[in-house]
Amino acid sequence: MTTDAPFAFAEPGADCGLCPRLVSFRETNRSALPGGHNAPVPAFGPLDAALLIVGLAPGLHGANRTGRPFTGDWAGDMLYPALIRHGFAVGTYCESADDGLRLNNCRISNAVRCVPPQNKPTTPEIAACRDFLVREIAAMPRLRAVLCLGRVAHDSAVRLFGERAAATPFSHGAVHRLAQRGLRLYDSYHCSRYNTNTGVLTEPMFDAVFARIADDLRAN
Ligand code: SF4
């Protein structure tokens, strides 16, 4: 099991004001959904992990409510059991930030840390929050693999790592070798309710992505 110490990364404050539209939505949600997290959702998992999973953004009734990425909605029901099956998480996922689940050699973050209306962040919002992702990745000295869930996360990561977009297209199951730090970037369709209900992403497809990552991490 890995731990957070001694590496450091400063998450945005609860009232980060860099994205005015998301700040306004946050204030609306603090009134409409009292008792929820309703703030930027910090990443989950140790900074000395080898695998970083990058999602899109917190779900309104999932991470935005519980305060932990992918926790409390459909996407977490798909993601956390897959992580447990492949050894990247230990414990039982109970749709709550205090369920005691631990991530093993894995960390989960988002391209955008505040919940966006209709789950759709704008390009400037993605760019603003990318600065936090840049610093987070810089604070992960043992990072070897980045798994992007969906095209928005993929595009933000490709830009972050300075890769050419045309040479690094998003495709489910793709593995891209990055110039920076010898990292591998893996792509998967996002484990959203829409993608899983429509069969765009099935459990075997998702499992194959994690099996490949686990194999690669074991191999070198
Ligand atoms: Fe700040 Fe990121 Fe939230 Fe924008 S999305 S307000 S940059 S934490």
Side-chain angles (χ1 to χ4, degrees):
M1 189 73 67
T2 48
T3 64
D4 271 323
F7 312 112
F9 159 67
E11 293 276 0
D15 294 311
C16 179
L18 292 176
C19 305
R21 187 182 74 119
L22 302 188
V23 171
S24 171
F25 194 47
R26 180 193 303 153
E27 294 305 327
T28 298
N29 291 330
R30 283 177 178 172
S31 299
L33 305 167
H37 178 72
N38 294 316
V41 175
F44 175 38
L47 280 167
D48 59 351
L51 169 62
L52 177 67
I53 298 172
V54 183
L56 168 60
L60 179 60
H61 299 290
N64 179 66
R65 175 175 59 83
T66 63
R68 193 176 75 180
F70 287 88
T71 298
D73 59 12
W74 180 273
D77 292 349
M78 184 87 171
L79 177 62
Y80 285 109
L83 293 178
I84 292 169
R85 285 195 296 277
H86 293 276
F88 290 113
V90 178
T92 304
Y93 171 64
C94 297
E95 304 184 12
S96 167
D98 62 1
D99 59 11
L101 188 81
R102 305 265 322 260
L103 295 187
N104 182 33
N105 207 20
C106 171
R107 182 174 169 94
I108 306 174
S109 191
N110 274 313
V112 173
R113 290 168 200 257
C114 291
V115 58
Q118 282 85 49
N119 235 12
K120 289 193 174 114
T122 64
T123 301
E125 289 160 358
I126 296 166
C129 216
R130 188 180 302 118
D131 285 346
F132 291 102
L133 200 53
V134 167
R135 280 177 253 160
E136 182 171 23
I137 285 170
M140 296 186 69
R142 297 185 184 140
L143 183 66
R144 290 158 61 203
V146 178
L147 169 60
C148 296
L149 299 181
R151 189 179 299 273
V152 170
H154 168 94
D155 289 348
S156 192
V158 166
R159 187 173 285 260
L160 182 161
F161 287 114
E163 298 285 334
R164 282 197 316 117
T168 321
F170 174 82
S171 169
H172 177 82
V175 185
H176 305 279
R177 266 286 190 184
L178 304 180
Q180 269 192 46
R181 297 168 58 180
L183 298 175
R184 283 191 175 97
L185 188 150
Y186 300 80
D187 286 335
S188 170
Y189 291 128
H190 193 282
C191 48
S192 65
R193 182 189 290 270
Y194 178 83
N195 280 348
T196 51
N197 279 354
T198 56
V200 168
L201 179 68
T202 64
E203 190 173 291
M205 289 168 67
F206 211 30
D207 273 337
V209 170
F210 285 106
R212 170 72 193 270
I213 294 170
D215 283 348
D216 288 349
L217 290 178
R218 271 192 297 269
N220 51 44

